[in-house]
Amino acid sequence: MTTATTFCFGASRARLRAAPLDVRLGADAASALATLVPLLGCGEEAAAIAFDGLAARDGDPVTAAALRTIAEEERVHDSLLHSLAEALPAVSTEALQQQARRFHIQLGRGSTLAHLARIAAIDAGVCLILSRLLRPGGPVSDDTAVAQMLARIRRDETRHVRLSRALVLERAEGRPFEDVAAAAREALANVITLAADAFEGLAVDPARLQADLRALPQGLLRA
């Protein structure tokens, strides 16, 4: 079954519906996670659109196929996050979604390689966010269904970082793109400030998370 419901962006195709999720979080943790899911979902929608566009413009058939595969994986993530959102309480996230949407629109500025450098930096940031949510002893790690879903997304995003990074380094010197990648991480950290209370409600230190997001991983865009 499919639906056209989206977190932030109009869908170019119907969205697959994932199986219902059995969430067993406590009430406060469930509300906190409900605030964060649209933020993550907005990123998955934006990534699917971005990788589709990158694939369409790439002249190498092998690379284009890899980019299309990533776009499909991002759509799977989107469906998983929608199933999670449907299992969580309804909360108001309009302001956060608006900020997230503006943030992702800005990521597409400039050349293809600049876009890929930003994607590598942001996807690495998403992996960091998911790792903090999945830390042992926290509410998310104690809910098997939610933890398995987010761990799956983190595994895929780790591969997406590797591919985006590899494409930049294969086609250019990566260091000139470090500034745009760092700016993207800074912008992501600024969006995260709007969800500080939700992270705190899930046993994640928002100040530490923001500081770590602002630091571009050493060697990300260096061979």
Side-chain angles (χ1 to χ4, degrees):
M1 184 164 56
T2 59
T3 177
T5 303
T6 64
F7 287 114
C8 288
F9 297 93
S12 59
R13 65 183 73 182
R15 178 179 59 79
L16 295 174
R17 181 181 290 278
L21 195 68
D22 181 19
V23 174
R24 301 190 178 187
L25 293 169
D28 290 344
S31 293
L33 187 58
T35 299
L36 298 182
V37 167
L39 174 62
L40 296 171
C42 188
E44 300 298 342
E45 288 176 0
I49 294 169
F51 280 111
D52 274 338
L54 290 166
R57 295 192 299 274
D58 202 288
D60 177 39
V62 174
T63 299
L67 292 168
R68 283 193 295 271
T69 296
I70 292 179
E72 289 299 328
E73 290 177 347
E74 301 290 15
R75 277 185 277 273
V76 171
H77 297 171
D78 174 59
S79 71
L80 292 172
L81 290 169
H82 272 281
S83 72
L84 177 55
E86 290 164 4
L88 295 170
V91 297
S92 177
T93 60
E94 183 177 351
L96 183 59
Q97 286 172 269
Q98 288 177 347
Q99 284 292 104
R101 187 175 189 276
R102 283 194 288 269
F103 163 71
H104 285 289
I105 289 172
Q106 291 296 314
L107 290 183
R109 293 178 294 111
S111 69
T112 294
L113 290 180
H115 194 180
L116 284 166
R118 293 189 187 101
I119 288 174
I122 294 306
D123 282 354
V126 171
C127 291
L128 174 62
I129 291 168
L130 293 173
S131 292
R132 296 293 167 85
L133 291 172
L134 288 165
R135 275 184 170 174
V140 171
S141 68
D142 289 340
D143 187 310
T144 301
V146 176
Q148 288 179 345
M149 172 188 289
L150 296 183
R152 172 184 175 176
I153 293 174
R154 182 180 60 181
R155 285 193 300 271
D156 288 346
E157 294 300 337
T158 299
R159 287 189 293 99
H160 300 173
V161 172
R162 288 199 298 267
L163 177 62
S164 299
R165 174 184 184 274
L167 286 174
V168 174
L169 296 179
E170 285 171 7
R171 298 176 178 186
E173 167 63 39
R175 294 188 187 192
F177 296 99
E178 287 182 336
D179 285 347
V180 296
R185 289 285 289 249
E186 179 75 21
L188 175 61
N190 291 339
V191 172
I192 291 301
T193 62
L194 298 177
D197 290 345
F199 280 106
E200 196 163 343
L202 293 166
V204 175
D205 181 344
R208 177 68 180 272
L209 176 61
Q210 290 157 27
D212 290 343
L213 285 172
R214 288 189 169 95
L216 190 69
Q218 289 188 353
L220 179 69
L221 294 173
R222 300 191 184 195

